[in-house]
Amino acid sequence: MTINKIQMRSINNKIALTFFLLLFTSIIASAQEIIKDSVITPAKKVQSTGKQKIDGVIATVGDYIILDSDIDKSFVEITRDGGSVKDVTRCQMLGKLLEDKLYAHQAIQDSIVVTDAEIKGMMEERLSFLIEKIGSMENVVKFYKKDSEEEFRTYFSDILKEGKLASEMQKKIIDGVEITPEEVRNFFKTIAVDELPFFGAEMEVAQIVITPKVSDAEKKKVIDKLNEFKKEAEEGSSFSTKAVLYSQDPGSSSNGGYYQMNRRTPFVKEFKDVAFSLAEGEISAPFETDFGFHIIYVEKIKGQEIELRHILLTPGVSEESLIEAREKISIIKKKIEDKEITFAEAARTQSDEKETRANGGALINPQTQDTRFELTKMDPTLYAQISNLKEGEITAPLMEDVQGKKKYKLITVTNRINEHTADYGKDYIKIKDLALEKKRITAIGKWFDEKIKETYIKIIGEYRDCNFTNNWLKK
């Protein structure tokens, strides 16, 4: 199969793979009504281009229904969040909604569990985003045409649960799909020479980080403040309010420090160790991680899930410590330039960043999990720092300040890869990703073929004339 055909199948055969994240992240405001077999809800009249249009059920998938207005809401959601619907037809959008419903329906059949704690965490995170975008909770309620915050939360909870069920079902399908080197090689051989993908210019980058030392006095100041918060909370003061006002964690402060987690949640070990040592209603003593000092309040324990709130405070760094760190990194730079030590050796022996230290300072691309960074997709800040560097050249010491945590960096370009046509040896990881994507698409397509046959599905009205990729009409 050629690359072009793979790409077309990826787009046409599975809008889910491209639209799914966009629509799920945007949270499609679709009806989440659950029905019994062929029960139809009463139709309602809606205004559309000056004419009366009946808004009724247009499709049923298992226990879920889709209203005609759900398609309109989906378009509104995408455009409101900055997406383009220029080339998306109503039939394609219905196809996407049908896929989501089938995923969710089958997730329930397969006993996939979505906990209330998960939904609550998602609710708070999503509401923060919506309030920031729309202006206030009142505006959010109005936007979704609900009469009260309570009604909106109930409605939104159903949407989030269906979306989570759908994503977990899709994840279950593709998680078991693996690919061997032989399959990657055979995949590459099937691509015609004139259809080989073209990869843009890339860089491999390494860094050395020196973190200014925090004085014991500054640490004590932060610990004392956290102990004060703990005492006041235990006496009845709101922990959540204190997190909003004082926590320096950008990921949770606006939500009152709220997180829900289990043993597999990717939090640092020190944080998880403390969280899982606490009883429900207990507040921890201040403890330290790489991010600063924390206290944790456990709100609820539900089996293996914990709902908690925390406050993070980062100790300040003295001007003296900053000067000392800058002098240290400047000396390291001079030693590298004088050939007394290589950049990689200096990173392994002197860098304070343990995540990159063992690999000689090499940065890992968070999108691809390899060491290459495509210039057009690189973080703008990193790009500005290294775009003009020659291979092997080192930046001047750079001071970085993220949420009050200051550190100095040296960055070097260890390898430049010019734009080029795909090469099996040089681009194995990218080719493997393409081959794996094709295999996953095939697995999803097979899953849809099987589940459509065994699931009650009904499409009515003009939408029966749609040319769906999947066999929704069971012809």
Side-chain angles (χ1 to χ4, degrees), residues 310-353:
H310 88 121
I311 297 173
L312 166 69
L313 294 182
T314 304
V317 177
S318 69
E319 189 63 31
E320 185 180 85
S321 292
L322 285 171
I323 293 171
E324 185 181 320
R326 182 178 173 84
E327 288 177 350
K328 181 178 180 179
I329 206 165
S330 296
I331 291 170
I332 293 171
K333 174 178 166 66
K334 188 174 188 308
K335 286 183 176 180
I336 296 170
E337 291 175 336
D338 290 347
K339 311 295 184 186
E340 294 181 32
I341 191 171
T342 67
F343 193 99
E345 289 169 342
R348 279 191 285 268
T349 58
Q350 300 185 56
S351 179
D352 291 329
E353 187 173 63

Side-chain angles (χ1 to χ4, degrees), residues 127-140 143:
L127 277 180
S128 294
F129 170 80
L130 288 172
I131 290 170
E132 182 180 342
K133 195 148 190 170
I134 299 176
S136 68
M137 188 67 210
E138 184 180 355
N139 289 343
V140 171
F143 180 85

Side-chain angles (χ1 to χ4, degrees), residues 27 48 80 137 163 171 181 208 239 247 350-351 374 386 398 447 470:
I27 309 297
S48 176
R80 193 210 59 177
M137 188 67 210
K171 184 173 181 291
I208 295 169
F239 192 100
S247 181
Q350 300 185 56
S351 179
E374 191 171 339
I386 66 170
L398 303 168
W447 183 89
N470 292 313

Side-chain angles (χ1 to χ4, degrees), residues 6 88-89 199 213 235 246 271 290 309 381 390 446:
I6 293 168
V88 181
T89 66
F199 298 129
K213 297 295 183 288
E235 292 173 350
Y246 302 109
F271 191 95
D290 288 342
R309 297 185 185 274
T381 301
K390 297 175 183 176
K446 182 179 178 182

Side-chain angles (χ1 to χ4, degrees), residues 96-122:
K96 173 63 181 67
L97 292 175
L98 288 165
E99 290 179 0
D100 288 345
K101 303 300 183 189
L102 185 56
Y103 278 134
H105 171 78
Q106 193 59 43
I108 294 172
Q109 309 310 306
D110 288 2
S111 300
I112 291 176
V113 176
V114 175
T115 66
D116 292 340
E118 287 179 289
I119 299 303
K120 183 176 179 180
M122 293 167 63

Side-chain angles (χ1 to χ4, degrees), residues 16 18-29 77-78 80-81 96 100 122 125-127 129-130 133 144 156 159-160 163-164 167:
T18 51
F19 280 169
F20 186 82
L21 290 177
L22 174 62
L23 295 185
F24 177 61
T25 302
S26 299
I27 309 297
I28 301 172
E77 284 286 334
I78 295 173
R80 193 210 59 177
D81 283 349
K96 173 63 181 67
D100 288 345
M122 293 167 63
E125 182 181 344
R126 183 62 186 172
L127 277 180
F129 170 80
L130 288 172
K133 195 148 190 170
Y144 284 91
F156 206 50
I159 293 176
L160 289 168
K164 182 66 174 174
S167 66

Side-chain angles (χ1 to χ4, degrees), residues 248-459:
Q248 293 174 286
D249 176 14
S252 72
S253 59
S254 62
N255 296 333
Y258 179 85
Y259 283 118
Q260 63 88 22
M261 60 182 289
N262 56 44
R263 292 281 185 183
R264 299 185 304 279
T265 306
F267 281 50
V268 294
K269 181 179 184 298
E270 300 91 337
F271 191 95
K272 287 203 287 189
D273 286 347
V274 172
F276 283 98
S277 72
L278 299 172
E280 191 170 295
E282 188 177 0
I283 302 176
S284 74
F287 66 96
E288 187 176 11
T289 71
D290 288 342
F291 299 97
F293 287 85
H294 313 249
I295 54 173
I296 293 175
Y297 164 53
V298 173
E299 277 193 346
K300 189 176 292 185
I301 299 175
K302 298 181 69 175
Q304 300 301 310
E305 298 279 346
I306 293 180
E307 294 183 52
L308 61 82
R309 297 185 185 274
H310 88 121
I311 297 173
L312 166 69
L313 294 182
T314 304
V317 177
S318 69
E319 189 63 31
E320 185 180 85
S321 292
L322 285 171
I323 293 171
E324 185 181 320
R326 182 178 173 84
E327 288 177 350
K328 181 178 180 179
I329 206 165
S330 296
I331 291 170
I332 293 171
K333 174 178 166 66
K334 188 174 188 308
K335 286 183 176 180
I336 296 170
E337 291 175 336
D338 290 347
K339 311 295 184 186
E340 294 181 32
I341 191 171
T342 67
F343 193 99
E345 289 169 342
R348 279 191 285 268
T349 58
Q350 300 185 56
S351 179
D352 291 329
E353 187 173 63
K354 59 186 178 183
E355 294 85 1
T356 60
R357 193 167 52 207
N359 295 323
L363 292 181
I364 300 298
N365 188 331
Q367 305 300 321
T368 61
Q369 298 305 309
D370 70 0
T371 57
R372 293 188 183 184
F373 290 80
E374 191 171 339
L375 297 191
T376 58
K377 298 176 182 177
M378 185 178 285
D379 175 78
T381 301
L382 180 60
Y383 178 80
Q385 292 168 339
I386 66 170
S387 59
N388 294 322
L389 290 183
K390 297 175 183 176
E391 191 172 317
E393 192 176 357
I394 306 171
T395 64
L398 303 168
M399 204 270 273
E400 183 177 276
D401 186 348
V402 179
Q403 300 297 322
K405 286 188 69 70
K406 297 178 179 179
K407 55 189 175 183
Y408 282 99
K409 287 182 175 184
L410 294 176
I411 307 177
T412 187
V413 174
T414 58
N415 190 21
R416 277 183 176 270
I417 302 102
N418 295 324
E419 56 184 12
H420 62 283
T421 301
D423 177 275
Y424 183 78
K426 293 179 182 178
D427 303 302
Y428 176 81
I429 292 177
K430 288 186 175 64
I431 294 165
K432 178 184 176 183
D433 289 343
L434 285 172
L436 183 59
E437 179 188 6
K438 175 181 178 287
K439 192 170 182 180
R440 284 174 171 173
I441 289 168
T442 301
I444 289 175
K446 182 179 178 182
W447 183 89
F448 273 112
D449 289 342
E450 292 174 355
K451 299 307 175 186
I452 286 173
K453 289 177 183 176
E454 61 190 52
T455 305
Y456 174 76
I457 297 170
K458 184 176 182 180
I459 299 171

